[in-house]
Amino acid sequence: MITVTIFTKNNLIVGAQVEGHAEYDRKGKDIVCSAVSMLYINLVNSLENFTHDDKEINGSRKINFENVILKNMPSDEALLLFRSFHLGVTTVEQKYGKRYIEIMNQEV
């Protein structure tokens, strides 16, 4: 299962973490993993290219763990990107179910 954790501070999204595998299908054919991966990659690339927010990106390919956390409160642009990511993964969760993806919220 993929676990997506949305980090919030004062009711604003300041980060996201993605870990695990959906196991919806075999490696290379797993459309749930693919969808969540693309949403996350797009989030990180968009934060990098469309905002000036100071961020920290950590991860290890060996354990399939990635997170992006803003060091300060989000700009309006970053907040919109995080909200769009949250909408996307929520849509995947609604379509394919909690058997493959679970979204959690964590206050930081």
Side-chain angles (χ1 to χ4, degrees), residues 19-34:
E19 61 183 329
H21 291 283
E23 298 180 19
Y24 180 81
D25 202 343
R26 68 183 190 274
K27 187 176 181 179
K29 300 287 184 181
D30 193 323
I31 61 175
V32 175
C33 276
S34 179

Side-chain angles (χ1 to χ4, degrees), residues 2-4 18-44 64 84-97 100-101 103:
I2 296 173
T3 302
V4 176
V18 175
E19 61 183 329
H21 291 283
E23 298 180 19
Y24 180 81
D25 202 343
R26 68 183 190 274
K27 187 176 181 179
K29 300 287 184 181
D30 193 323
I31 61 175
V32 175
C33 276
S34 179
V36 173
S37 294
M38 284 308 305
L39 288 166
Y40 180 78
I41 290 166
N42 190 63
L43 169 66
V44 172
N64 192 34
S84 178
F85 171 77
H86 187 253
L87 175 64
V89 294
T90 299
T91 301
V92 173
E93 181 186 50
Q94 290 169 348
K95 173 74 175 163
Y96 295 98
Y100 302 107
I101 177 174
I103 302 169

